[in-house]
Amino acid sequence: MLRLTLLGTGAAGGVPLYGCECIACERARSQAAFERKPCSAMLEWGRGGAQERLLIDAGLMDLHSRFAAGTYYGFLLTHFHVDHVQGLFHLRWGNTSPIPVWCPDDPQGCADLLKHPGCLSFKPTLDHGESFNINRLKITPLAMKHSRPTVGFLFEYGIMSVAYLTDTDGLSAQTLDFLLERQPIDAIVLDCSFPPNSEAGNHGNLDTARLIQEKLKPKELIITHIGHDLDRWLMKNGVPSWVEIGRDGMEI
């Protein structure tokens, strides 16, 4: 069994965006199913009662109550932007065994997390293409195109594979080449914050997502890190047939 659960699928401002009265934000206020929390995920794998769990990023502010101590193996951080690590700021002072946090080598980190880690054991060892294994799960960090040192992940367990690729504006040539060698990938979860024809900058739009889908041809392409502008565009134009829209709580 290999299961990825999207805990949050929102861009940094989330949906609904504070103070916004657009149709996407109003829908999210009235229907909880359309709310988007900070972009993060949970990976579970194993057989029978020997299942393991990793948390990907830590933007959720209720980690301390949602996941009891000892119920997960550790964290994989894509990068140190606040919306991906803010849940660690109070979790670090917990009374528990050291929690491993694999992360890119970014000496700046975020505020004083690296200087005062508390119960967190940071492991800045995530380099592009340098695979490692945790209880038969193969994890390969992949370089993303972002404003801070950032990695995505390819997870392989038996014959199953899933790639989690956020935050990024498209994919670098080295990451595309790496994933092309491993086709077909069962599922790719991809950063897509903006509608088509948007100047994406640090994040992808629906045009870049389409190009990646055409090149890598995964069995499923699911987008995440979605902003309210893209939600509004999807409400008006519909969902293209080649993509699935990530939702908080979605299981892959």
Side-chain angles (χ1 to χ4, degrees), residues 20 23 33 76 94 178 202 220 224 252:
C20 182
I23 57 173
L76 295 170
F178 187 96
N202 256 339
E220 289 183 274
T224 191
I252 302 158

Side-chain angles (χ1 to χ4, degrees), residues 186-231:
D186 291 306
I188 292 178
V189 179
L190 179 68
D191 182 303
C192 183
S193 294
F194 302 110
N197 302 313
S198 301
E199 291 188 11
N202 256 339
H203 297 276
N205 63 27
L206 210 55
D207 298 318
T208 54
R210 177 60 167 163
L211 290 173
I212 290 167
Q213 188 272 339
E214 290 174 345
K215 289 180 179 178
L216 296 179
K217 298 179 174 60
K219 295 178 182 178
E220 289 183 274
L221 180 73
I222 303 102
I223 58 172
T224 191
H225 208 285
I226 295 168
H228 71 138
D229 288 333
L230 177 53
D231 267 340

